[in-house]
Amino acid sequence: MAHHKPLKDYLACVAVDIGSTGTGYAYSTRDDFRADQLDVTLNEKWTEESQGSLGLKAPTCLLLDPTMQFHAFGYEAENKYAELAAEELHEDWYYFERFKMQLFKNEITPNLQIEDAIGKKVSALLVVTETIKYIKSHAMERLVRQEPKMKEKEVQWVVTVPSIWDKAAKTLMTSAANKAGIKSSNLIIANESDAASVFCLFAKSEAGTGSLDTQPVGATYLVVDIGGGTTDITVHERASRMEIKEAHEPSGLSWGGVAIDEAFVKFMTGMLGEETMDRFRVQACGEFIKWIKEFERLKQDVPSVEKKKSENFIIYIPNRLNEIYQSLNDKTISDLTRSGKFKHKGKIRVTDGKMHFEMSIIHDVFKTVTDKIADHLDALFKIKELSSVVMLIFVGGTAESKFVQQTMFHKYQHSKRYVLYPKEPGTAVLKGAVILGHAANIVDKRLLRHTYGSGIKVPFQQGTHPEKLKIESAGGTWCRGVFKPFLKAGTPVKVGMVIRNEIEAISYEDSVFAVYKTNKRGVEYITDEACQEVCKVWMSHVLPARSKKPQVYTIKYTFAESELIIELALKETGSKYVITSDIEFEENF
């Protein structure tokens, strides 16, 4: 990532990912990031019907009216164009579907023209500009809903691009973002693979030794981004604890989730005939699209290993598909599957309007893509410089498929290389890009390595709190030793930063002041072995009071160059007690 001058007044970061098939955005405010770097909000689902993580991305479809003005994006563009096509009114409109693939396949120049759905040529810059403008408007509306006083100049924008794109392609994206109203000072163009790596570093996977943050400095690993239209493969090296660099030329394949869908359509074409499928595509365009979206949803849960032999892949038969097949063949699809001459007899059957496929057939559909990706990876591993690769990180929407995950895991788990899938691989790039944007705006590059907190007591909840921490006190039942953070790991800390707190101790004679730290996420109790005691003192011993009445004391935490200085002061006497402790920081980008 190129050097970025930190914004003076930035309050939030928004990342935009224009994918081959799906587009989305994510954001977090500066305060969100300081409290928890992984507290990133993804865009809302674009339609009520959207299901699962697939629904978080809108189809990368843009519709311009006959005067080349913006009309719609995503599902709205898809539906409007289908309506126009059904009434044969679409020829004067400009509809772009999966236009990023044209950028992938063409040499990028400022005057590049790309084709719409029926071959009309339009400036690529215009298409990308209108897309970013729409997403920007959508994201700002959402941000302002959360933070009513938020202004555009206070937002850091990150637009992600494939690592294999050259400087000219990145310049095109910069120009489009500028034309969409994003100033260069507020813009970062980030490689998708960099963003994925950053997410994995911050996520600190709980998969133990297989996580990226546990790999030593100098370790090389692959980021395999399996998207809808392409698979991008980048070789990274961990240059320092919080810095990554590209270690080899990136490569890409025109194979992804769409190719799996196309392989399924090709199989159905072989089964039902070209004329049936061609007519279905053209005469029932809306129903065809809906059917393929259902296949996309169902394919995510296809396992690579059948749990039981009887397990089938089941998908409904669209009414128009059955009607078209019957009109051309004088029999239904159900009749076909029961025919003695049917070549897939016993492997495909029809029940209650649904097709039941033996899993091996769907596995073969997947393998048209997974085999290509595996062959490419195997070829990379034969390159001498890449023989030391210790890990493969799979991200991208198609990497959320159980079949893809299990296939790659089984293939590479015995190759002395770890296989890592972050939680929700399809959102890793977006979340990582948000983190990148925040990190670029941190003036002081020191990030706190540990989370600091105190032990408190809360009302005991049966079944939730451990019995060993249960105490009876002050007429109630309490859970002692609950870890309450006051400063989280990853918080940017400037030398001289001060935090103040005040405590009223009802029973000062029994009052204990203690601070704990941990480098593990999700610690609930100070008794957790990952929780270390920083300091612990009896207040009445170090700061004796004049009376036995309730006392108020203040705490001042000062972050020095390499020390945490804790100053306790008793209000009644004005006397002070100072504790010092070593403090550790992470490097930032």
Side-chain angles (χ1 to χ4, degrees), residues 21-39:
T21 56
T23 292
Y25 67 87
Y27 68 88
S28 68
T29 65
R30 185 180 62 190
D31 290 343
D32 291 337
F33 180 74
R34 285 178 174 173
D36 182 356
Q37 297 88 352
L38 296 173
D39 182 12

Side-chain angles (χ1 to χ4, degrees), residues 447-455 483-491 493 499 514-520 526 531-535 557 559 562-566 581-585:
L447 299 180
L448 206 57
R449 182 171 293 180
H450 294 86
T451 292
Y452 283 78
S454 54
F483 183 64
K484 184 185 179 183
F486 60 80
L487 207 57
K488 291 198 174 183
T491 301
V493 175
I499 295 176
V515 175
Y516 301 87
K517 67 179 182 180
T518 179
N519 58 8
K520 180 183 170 186
I526 61 173
C531 212
Q532 297 172 257
E533 184 183 290
V534 174
C535 65
Y557 300 95
F559 293 86
S562 58
E563 287 181 324
L564 172 61
I565 302 167
I566 305 168
S581 171
D582 290 341
I583 194 162
E584 296 175 70
F585 298 97

